[in-house]
Amino acid sequence: MLLLLGCAPATCPAGSSPGTDGLCYLDDEPEQTDTTTIEPTLSEAEAIAALSATLAVGLPEPMGLAAQYASTISSNGDSTCPFVSPPSEEGAEGGVWAGDCTAETGWRFSGQSLYLLTTLSEDALTTQTLEMASSFEMTAPSGAIFQGGGEVAFERLTTGTAVAYEGHIGGLYAYPEGSGWLSEVSSTALLYAGGRDEGGAWLTLNGGVGVGEQIIDFIDLSLDTTVCDGAPSGELGIRDGTGLWYALTLDCDTCGTLSWLGEPLGEHCIDLTAPLADLRDALEEG
Amino acid sequence: MIALLLSCQGPAGDSAVPGDTPTTPTTTPLPDAALLRRMSLDLRGTLPGLDELESLESGQSIASLRDAMLTDPRHAERLVMLLSEQWLTLTEEYPLTAEMVGFGPDEEYPFRRAVGQEPLRLLAHVASSDLPWTEAVTADYTLADDRLLQIWPLADLGASPQEGWRLARYTDGRFSGGVMTTNGMMWRYNVALYNRTRAAAISELLLCDDYLSRPISFSSPTLVTEGDLNLATQTEQACLNCHATLDGVASALFGFEFYDFYSLDELSIYHPERERLGEYYLSAPPSWYGTPLDGAAALPAAVAADGRLVDCAVRRFTEGLWRREVAVEDFAALQELEADFVAGGLRVSALLVAITDTDEYRAGEHLADADDISLARIANARILSPAQLADAVEQLTGYRWMFEGFDQLDNDTWGYRVLAGGVSPPSVEEISEDHTVTRDLVIKRLAQAAGRHAVDSGALDASITPDDAAFSDALIALHRRMLSATPDADWLSDAEALWRDVAALSDAEQAWASLVSVMIRDPAFWTY
């Protein structure tokens, strides 16, 4: 601990000593950070198996969520419940609603939500943007609840066969009666950037997903057919019961080194083909 | 690092050097009865009982009476309010209202206070249960009332260390970080900025390292986009002064990042899948002042091992009981207090004993030859905080000033907390140690209502008149209860005259009500 004095002191107080710079330093310097060794609760094999199982559920993506949201309202709401104020923007659909009501279908809508899906075309370029900021519950007569709370932003530019997109989905979105990830994912924060043209396709993922007790994440995980022939690079993580993370580092390969607290363990492989192909399809075309 | 900046100008700066604490007393010691009153108000928030006053007068040591105060259940309650002046969690502004989380509108005040008190209750529990202070940042539990148990992901652990509050544990996978990982803290310090506000709050509150006090000087670079800002925080020297360390701590808090300000789940549930997003948003992996962390879960151990945690606890509790900010001149005194704190196993009770043993805490009258610095620094008479005032008046008269379910001395939506000299976070962050017109008006209204309530409720026997032999004894008892001192003949004469004047205009009940009201308004009551 350094005592900064406007004027250099002639002497230092008890418990401190002068440094070579003329300033006083406390004798009891802070201790170093405790780096206690913690043993993981999952074995290497269990960690990889849990990672694969979580990926198999599918990864959250904005357009599928938007489709579920829009169809739930259009199929189960009525003209006043929820009362949706339509957007004034050109090419936009959706709108804003807030309240707590029960529609003629028996569905109950509560909360508030802004949902705008805008499609604009100019010459050969089509720009599609999705914006959602919501906190809602839509309850079916059966008692099943479609719950959403969070933020979604997504933009996709399409021209001919080329597409580029960027966006994120963050929040708690769940619908047990839905399909794919929406029926099982508990919480998410995923950021996407990618595209496709005649040269190939690329996708970069950051963020994480929770499915029940399993938590996985991605740090700059990319699949780029123009660089690695589509093999993944980056890091996949799975959170251990200790609250610390296993990390599987990939470098243009489906196999890589699994590490724990920075210490390399063994080589492990993981198949990302199916889950990421579905995600890429949704982001490019959904 | 605690940086103590001294000015080279002014009478103190010319000669002051850390440790240069005056050795010559500048105040008389407070008489024992007055010291008992000060300790009781500071450690329990209430006036000493007549039985305690009599025990003191019979020869019981003030130290033993103080020991009893430290085990009194009201001690924890007092710590909650004392700490609230520094932690500033009892705010009027939360993202969600009681109605938004499913409670009735009449539950707004208790809901708000439950949220704001959660971190304070945990700190008070650690302190009053004689647990080492490091537990405050490593505990794998919190305290929650019935409302919080209902809306937050908490498991009731069964024990109830404080009235209406139970030990509970979060069940959402958050790491065990004591007060740092309470929802109350996260809701209070919820401004976005990628958790930097939260990291700065942890630094200031637990380490006394205030990032906002650091000097910043730079020519304005172009900061148009978020990317520009992030680049600046990683490359501009002036920005790095804070962000080189702040961002690593903020990065460890990304599990608390939320995407929707109005969703109870988003705000209440820890999001482990977001834990490592700090590396994306801040380009900074979790670290503690430059030392890399093995993830967010390693944060509590790093904080607990940081020597500044102990330094800061000493400083904060000392400031709370000395009723002033400490300065570089107090260095030696703080070192002595810290030695007692460490020798006491980092138990707060040991620290409070040491602080209440200091000459400054026990300061009575200023000596005639006291210099200006001592006169300015040492508070020989402290003003009751709104919380102390409310508790003392309730203890005396049974009156609690409530309106629409809100405690009028503990809120600023409907009440007068800030007008009475209290904090009102986030806009007013320091208590007022000066008497003000607004404080006087609040005390006036409180005194009027409390005096009447004391009579109407029977807390005060209004049937006694000056014609009764018991009248004088009743006056003396009232004076001793309120001021911990036996009145002299002049005061008794004046009080009886006041009583008779009011009774002549009204009746005996109003006479007693007015007398109590006048005594509450007497500076001798609301100072200590």
PDB file of all heavy atoms in Angstrom, chain A residues 22-37:
ATOM      1  N   GLY A  22      10.923   8.305  -2.294  1.00  0.00           N
ATOM      2  CA  GLY A  22      10.610   9.299  -1.287  1.00  0.00           C
ATOM      3  C   GLY A  22       9.213   9.166  -0.716  1.00  0.00           C
ATOM      4  O   GLY A  22       8.846   9.897   0.198  1.00  0.00           O
ATOM      5  N   LEU A  23       8.435   8.218  -1.227  1.00  0.00           N
ATOM      6  CA  LEU A  23       7.086   8.020  -0.711  1.00  0.00           C
ATOM      7  C   LEU A  23       7.089   6.974   0.392  1.00  0.00           C
ATOM      8  O   LEU A  23       8.037   6.197   0.523  1.00  0.00           O
ATOM      9  CB  LEU A  23       6.151   7.587  -1.846  1.00  0.00           C
ATOM     10  CG  LEU A  23       6.021   8.583  -3.003  1.00  0.00           C
ATOM     11  CD1 LEU A  23       5.212   7.968  -4.138  1.00  0.00           C
ATOM     12  CD2 LEU A  23       5.386   9.881  -2.523  1.00  0.00           C
ATOM     13  N   CYS A  24       6.025   6.966   1.189  1.00  0.00           N
ATOM     14  CA  CYS A  24       5.903   5.991   2.266  1.00  0.00           C
ATOM     15  C   CYS A  24       5.095   4.791   1.804  1.00  0.00           C
ATOM     16  O   CYS A  24       4.058   4.948   1.155  1.00  0.00           O
ATOM     17  CB  CYS A  24       5.214   6.638   3.479  1.00  0.00           C
ATOM     18  SG  CYS A  24       6.207   7.932   4.234  1.00  0.00           S
ATOM     19  N   TYR A  25       5.564   3.598   2.164  1.00  0.00           N
ATOM     20  CA  TYR A  25       4.854   2.377   1.812  1.00  0.00           C
ATOM     21  C   TYR A  25       4.542   1.608   3.079  1.00  0.00           C
ATOM     22  O   TYR A  25       5.394   1.453   3.957  1.00  0.00           O
ATOM     23  CB  TYR A  25       5.712   1.488   0.889  1.00  0.00           C
ATOM     24  CG  TYR A  25       5.878   2.073  -0.492  1.00  0.00           C
ATOM     25  CD1 TYR A  25       6.852   3.041  -0.746  1.00  0.00           C
ATOM     26  CD2 TYR A  25       5.052   1.675  -1.532  1.00  0.00           C
ATOM     27  CE1 TYR A  25       6.998   3.589  -2.008  1.00  0.00           C
ATOM     28  CE2 TYR A  25       5.193   2.222  -2.797  1.00  0.00           C
ATOM     29  CZ  TYR A  25       6.173   3.170  -3.031  1.00  0.00           C
ATOM     30  OH  TYR A  25       6.303   3.709  -4.284  1.00  0.00           O
ATOM     31  N   LEU A  26       3.291   1.114   3.166  1.00  0.00           N
ATOM     32  CA  LEU A  26       2.928   0.312   4.331  1.00  0.00           C
ATOM     33  C   LEU A  26       3.764  -0.957   4.353  1.00  0.00           C
ATOM     34  O   LEU A  26       4.084  -1.541   3.313  1.00  0.00           O
ATOM     35  CB  LEU A  26       1.455  -0.078   4.262  1.00  0.00           C
ATOM     36  CG  LEU A  26       0.460   0.961   4.768  1.00  0.00           C
ATOM     37  CD1 LEU A  26      -0.934   0.341   4.774  1.00  0.00           C
ATOM     38  CD2 LEU A  26       0.824   1.433   6.167  1.00  0.00           C
ATOM     39  N   ASP A  27       4.113  -1.381   5.584  1.00  0.00           N
ATOM     40  CA  ASP A  27       4.929  -2.586   5.709  1.00  0.00           C
ATOM     41  C   ASP A  27       4.122  -3.854   5.431  1.00  0.00           C
ATOM     42  O   ASP A  27       4.653  -4.862   5.021  1.00  0.00           O
ATOM     43  CB  ASP A  27       5.527  -2.656   7.121  1.00  0.00           C
ATOM     44  CG  ASP A  27       6.502  -1.501   7.345  1.00  0.00           C
ATOM     45  OD1 ASP A  27       7.072  -0.998   6.346  1.00  0.00           O
ATOM     46  OD2 ASP A  27       6.680  -1.084   8.502  1.00  0.00           O
ATOM     47  N   ASP A  28       2.817  -3.789   5.698  1.00  0.00           N
ATOM     48  CA  ASP A  28       1.999  -4.996   5.503  1.00  0.00           C
ATOM     49  C   ASP A  28       1.350  -4.970   4.126  1.00  0.00           C
ATOM     50  O   ASP A  28       0.182  -4.653   3.968  1.00  0.00           O
ATOM     51  CB  ASP A  28       0.935  -5.113   6.596  1.00  0.00           C
ATOM     52  CG  ASP A  28       0.004  -3.905   6.623  1.00  0.00           C
ATOM     53  OD1 ASP A  28       0.413  -2.841   6.123  1.00  0.00           O
ATOM     54  OD2 ASP A  28      -1.130  -4.043   7.111  1.00  0.00           O
ATOM     55  N   GLU A  29       2.112  -5.313   3.147  1.00  0.00           N
ATOM     56  CA  GLU A  29       1.576  -5.353   1.779  1.00  0.00           C
ATOM     57  C   GLU A  29       0.467  -6.393   1.686  1.00  0.00           C
ATOM     58  O   GLU A  29       0.500  -7.417   2.369  1.00  0.00           O
ATOM     59  CB  GLU A  29       2.695  -5.717   0.796  1.00  0.00           C
ATOM     60  CG  GLU A  29       3.676  -4.591   0.564  1.00  0.00           C
ATOM     61  CD  GLU A  29       3.015  -3.400  -0.125  1.00  0.00           C
ATOM     62  OE1 GLU A  29       2.252  -3.600  -1.074  1.00  0.00           O
ATOM     63  OE2 GLU A  29       3.265  -2.267   0.322  1.00  0.00           O
ATOM     64  N   PRO A  30      -0.537  -6.142   0.844  1.00  0.00           N
ATOM     65  CA  PRO A  30      -1.606  -7.125   0.696  1.00  0.00           C
ATOM     66  C   PRO A  30      -1.057  -8.488   0.285  1.00  0.00           C
ATOM     67  O   PRO A  30      -0.096  -8.585  -0.476  1.00  0.00           O
ATOM     68  CB  PRO A  30      -2.478  -6.534  -0.417  1.00  0.00           C
ATOM     69  CG  PRO A  30      -2.171  -5.079  -0.395  1.00  0.00           C
ATOM     70  CD  PRO A  30      -0.751  -4.957   0.026  1.00  0.00           C
ATOM     71  N   GLU A  31      -1.730  -9.520   0.799  1.00  0.00           N
ATOM     72  CA  GLU A  31      -1.302 -10.866   0.435  1.00  0.00           C
ATOM     73  C   GLU A  31      -1.645 -11.141  -1.018  1.00  0.00           C
ATOM     74  O   GLU A  31      -2.506 -10.493  -1.596  1.00  0.00           O
ATOM     75  CB  GLU A  31      -2.025 -11.885   1.321  1.00  0.00           C
ATOM     76  CG  GLU A  31      -1.727 -11.723   2.797  1.00  0.00           C
ATOM     77  CD  GLU A  31      -2.683 -12.558   3.644  1.00  0.00           C
ATOM     78  OE1 GLU A  31      -3.101 -13.617   3.161  1.00  0.00           O
ATOM     79  OE2 GLU A  31      -2.997 -12.122   4.753  1.00  0.00           O
ATOM     80  N   GLN A  32      -0.973 -12.113  -1.572  1.00  0.00           N
ATOM     81  CA  GLN A  32      -1.276 -12.491  -2.942  1.00  0.00           C
ATOM     82  C   GLN A  32      -2.603 -13.231  -3.008  1.00  0.00           C
ATOM     83  O   GLN A  32      -3.053 -13.823  -2.030  1.00  0.00           O
ATOM     84  CB  GLN A  32      -0.155 -13.392  -3.498  1.00  0.00           C
ATOM     85  CG  GLN A  32       1.170 -12.681  -3.637  1.00  0.00           C
ATOM     86  CD  GLN A  32       1.078 -11.485  -4.566  1.00  0.00           C
ATOM     87  OE1 GLN A  32       0.672 -11.603  -5.691  1.00  0.00           O
ATOM     88  NE2 GLN A  32       1.461 -10.312  -4.060  1.00  0.00           N
ATOM     89  N   THR A  33      -3.222 -13.162  -4.173  1.00  0.00           N
ATOM     90  CA  THR A  33      -4.490 -13.850  -4.356  1.00  0.00           C
ATOM     91  C   THR A  33      -4.326 -15.346  -4.104  1.00  0.00           C
ATOM     92  O   THR A  33      -3.381 -15.967  -4.567  1.00  0.00           O
ATOM     93  CB  THR A  33      -4.991 -13.631  -5.787  1.00  0.00           C
ATOM     94  OG1 THR A  33      -5.176 -12.230  -5.964  1.00  0.00           O
ATOM     95  CG2 THR A  33      -6.287 -14.358  -6.033  1.00  0.00           C
ATOM     96  N   ASP A  34      -5.267 -15.871  -3.361  1.00  0.00           N
ATOM     97  CA  ASP A  34      -5.264 -17.296  -3.065  1.00  0.00           C
ATOM     98  C   ASP A  34      -5.561 -18.079  -4.340  1.00  0.00           C
ATOM     99  O   ASP A  34      -6.557 -17.851  -5.012  1.00  0.00           O
ATOM    100  CB  ASP A  34      -6.345 -17.574  -2.017  1.00  0.00           C
ATOM    101  CG  ASP A  34      -6.393 -19.028  -1.605  1.00  0.00           C
ATOM    102  OD1 ASP A  34      -5.524 -19.794  -2.047  1.00  0.00           O
ATOM    103  OD2 ASP A  34      -7.305 -19.380  -0.843  1.00  0.00           O
ATOM    104  N   THR A  35      -4.693 -18.972  -4.683  1.00  0.00           N
ATOM    105  CA  THR A  35      -4.926 -19.775  -5.894  1.00  0.00           C
ATOM    106  C   THR A  35      -5.081 -21.242  -5.500  1.00  0.00           C
ATOM    107  O   THR A  35      -4.363 -22.119  -5.959  1.00  0.00           O
ATOM    108  CB  THR A  35      -3.767 -19.622  -6.891  1.00  0.00           C
ATOM    109  OG1 THR A  35      -2.538 -19.870  -6.191  1.00  0.00           O
ATOM    110  CG2 THR A  35      -3.728 -18.227  -7.473  1.00  0.00           C
ATOM    111  N   THR A  36      -6.026 -21.445  -4.617  1.00  0.00           N
ATOM    112  CA  THR A  36      -6.280 -22.794  -4.133  1.00  0.00           C
ATOM    113  C   THR A  36      -6.607 -23.735  -5.292  1.00  0.00           C
ATOM    114  O   THR A  36      -7.354 -23.383  -6.187  1.00  0.00           O
ATOM    115  CB  THR A  36      -7.476 -22.782  -3.174  1.00  0.00           C
ATOM    116  OG1 THR A  36      -7.231 -21.817  -2.173  1.00  0.00           O
ATOM    117  CG2 THR A  36      -7.667 -24.132  -2.537  1.00  0.00           C
ATOM    118  N   THR A  37      -6.037 -24.880  -5.266  1.00  0.00           N
ATOM    119  CA  THR A  37      -6.342 -25.879  -6.285  1.00  0.00           C
ATOM    120  C   THR A  37      -7.701 -26.491  -5.996  1.00  0.00           C
ATOM    121  O   THR A  37      -7.973 -26.939  -4.892  1.00  0.00           O
ATOM    122  CB  THR A  37      -5.270 -26.982  -6.284  1.00  0.00           C
ATOM    123  OG1 THR A  37      -4.011 -26.380  -6.528  1.00  0.00           O
ATOM    124  CG2 THR A  37      -5.564 -28.009  -7.356  1.00  0.00           C
TER     125      THR A  37
END
